[in-house]
Amino acid sequence: MKQIAALAFALLSTPVTAQVQGVMLDEPVELPAFAFTNELGEDFTQADLDGNWTIVMFGFLSCPDVCPFTLGNLEAAVAETGMRVRPDSVPKVAFISVDPDRDAGYISEYAKFFHPEFESFTGTREQINTLVEATDSFYRILDPDHTGYYEVQHSSSVSVIAPDGTLRAKLQPPFDPGMTAEFLARLQIQYRRELTQ
Amino acid sequence: MIRFALALSFLAAPAMAGGLKVESPMVPLAPPGVMAHAAYFTLTNTGDTPRQLIGVSADGYMMAHIHMTEVKDDIATMSSVDVLEIAPGQSVAFERGGLHVMLMRPSAALEDGGTVALTLQFANGEAFPVEAKVMPMMGAKHSHGS
């Protein structure tokens, strides 16, 4: 229900000709405590959301097409956003692998490849499920084939979290840099307006 | 400018043989350590009989599969493609977010400017060699016609 309402809202509030790059949620969603880590011992917890905009993406490293495409586009979109907002409002990007069994050993290198400041983490199944659920995201690990190889299904959209730690919006493919930046800038204006009300 | 030059070099020498043409074969540079990345190209049947692509192999990889990404209701799913039928005159684009060759378990890291040797296998027994160039991932600015 939440998704449907949010989508309807976005459709009403944007011109029909504009490609929808994101959906602003009707109400901010509080996130539960979470903790992810990587093989360098860096961590990503709820505290990292404080005071800055964050984009969280779920994926997995054996993902040859969608995940690199999304991160490559996010890199361009974040660069564009940097031209529209104050430096301290440029979103941080965190990639969370939902496939720790295969990815935990070298997860930290992944997101950095797309931008030196992008970070990547994974965690326990429980932590992954907690944040996936809280952000209305989705993943499913499919049954392995005869070689033991398995596919992973996952949400194609990514979550936008405000400096107060609440989920505010979802970005959707194709993550066009200009339009995504425009969407993020508008989202930030709306957020600041709410704060001053 | 560099992109323009690359585009020209692709145009100049499409791989052609036996009623098949492959254009712009490329492998985007992938993050270090990843166990899977992708190859993209456009395959055209320039002959007058239908062709069936039934597999791909790649030097330096344990496996290569023809895969299709589908995004439905916000869920991205990949599935294997066993047979890809290409009608006479038809072009099939292997591109981001759609058909791609999934390259699995590389024996070495990709290097910018390097190549990956692919062999396309057809149902009539033909093996069609394709040399894919390794290059930085093109940004989103390129890909949004629709």
Side-chain angles (χ1 to χ4, degrees):
Chain A
M1 266 326 272
K2 185 171 64 190
Q3 268 183 338
I4 292 166
L7 183 62
F9 174 77
L11 290 175
L12 286 174
S13 61
T14 48
V16 267
T17 49
Q19 200 173 20
V20 179
Q21 301 289 325
V23 173
M24 293 185 197
L25 303 185
D26 298 352
E27 297 288 337
V29 174
E30 299 282 345
L31 297 178
F34 61 84
F36 295 96
T37 186
N38 61 29
E39 83 285 0
L40 301 179
E42 298 165 340
D43 52 22
F44 177 61
T45 69
Q46 213 175 9
D48 293 300
L49 305 175
D50 277 352
N52 48 262
W53 287 88
T54 309
I55 295 175
V56 172
M57 170 190 173
F58 294 100
F60 65 112
L61 303 199
S62 315
C63 169
D65 187 47
V66 171
C67 303
F69 186 33
T70 303
L71 277 168
N73 283 353
L74 283 179
E75 190 275 326
V78 168
E80 286 274 338
T81 307
M83 291 186 249
R84 289 170 167 81
V85 302
R86 288 183 357 207
D88 60 0
S89 297
V90 176
K92 293 185 172 180
V93 174
F95 177 92
I96 310 284
S97 168
V98 298
D99 190 9
D101 294 349
R102 289 192 293 203
D103 298 347
Y106 51 95
I107 181 69
S108 78
E109 295 180 30
Y110 191 72
K112 270 184 209 148
F113 176 80
F114 299 91
H115 189 282
E117 286 174 13
F118 286 11
E119 294 185 293
S120 39
F121 306 92
T122 189
T124 62
R125 190 59 61 205
E126 191 191 353
Q127 290 294 319
I128 292 167
N129 292 347
T130 297
L131 195 59
V132 162
E133 230 167 84
T135 56
D136 209 1
S137 305
F138 172 85
Y139 80 99
R140 187 156 61 127
I141 293 182
L142 303 184
D143 291 335
D145 66 15
H146 65 280
T147 66
Y149 173 79
Y150 53 87
E151 300 280 1
V152 182
Q153 293 181 320
H154 60 106
S155 306
S156 57
S157 59
V158 302
S159 301
V160 185
I161 300 167
D164 65 357
T166 60
L167 176 68
R168 295 279 168 160
K170 292 300 200 102
L171 298 177
Q172 298 168 325
F175 307 105
D176 175 90
M179 284 187 273
T180 301
E182 206 50 57
F183 176 86
L184 288 171
R186 260 191 295 136
L187 180 66
Q188 295 192 0
I189 290 168
Q190 185 173 320
Y191 175 75
R192 280 195 298 273
R193 204 177 283 154
E194 270 175 41
L195 288 187
T196 53
Q197 266 168 10
Chain B
M1 271 318 278
I2 292 166
R3 278 183 193 152
F4 181 60
L6 283 173
L8 273 184
S9 73
F10 284 142
L11 288 175
M16 269 180 96
L20 294 167
K21 185 170 69 169
V22 169
E23 291 164 288
S24 310
M26 64 95 72
V27 172
L29 274 173
V34 301
M35 286 295 137
H37 45 259
Y40 303 97
F41 49 81
T42 303
L43 174 62
T44 304
N45 181 354
T46 57
D48 47 21
T49 52
R51 304 296 293 266
Q52 290 99 24
L53 179 66
I54 56 167
V56 179
S57 62
D59 289 357
Y61 293 85
M62 195 183 281
M63 275 181 286
H65 290 162
I66 303 167
H67 265 179
M68 177 79 174
T69 301
E70 282 169 297
V71 179
K72 203 187 259 180
D73 300 334
D74 186 39
I75 309 299
T77 304
M78 275 202 317
S79 51
S80 286
V81 175
D82 296 328
V83 182
L84 185 64
E85 178 102 18
I86 309 159
Q90 190 189 0
S91 280
V92 178
F94 284 66
E95 60 190 357
R96 294 279 166 69
L99 274 171
H100 56 278
V101 175
M102 177 167 173
L103 303 167
M104 292 166 69
R105 308 235 163 216
S107 56
L110 290 174
E111 277 180 42
D112 192 2
T115 57
V116 174
L118 305 173
T119 306
L120 310 186
Q121 287 138 3
F122 291 87
N124 65 356
E126 188 182 348
F128 187 77
V130 173
E131 195 149 284
K133 291 200 180 210
V134 178
M135 60 179 75
M137 197 163 316
M138 305 255 186
K141 287 154 198 148
H142 277 262
S143 44
H144 303 304
S146 58

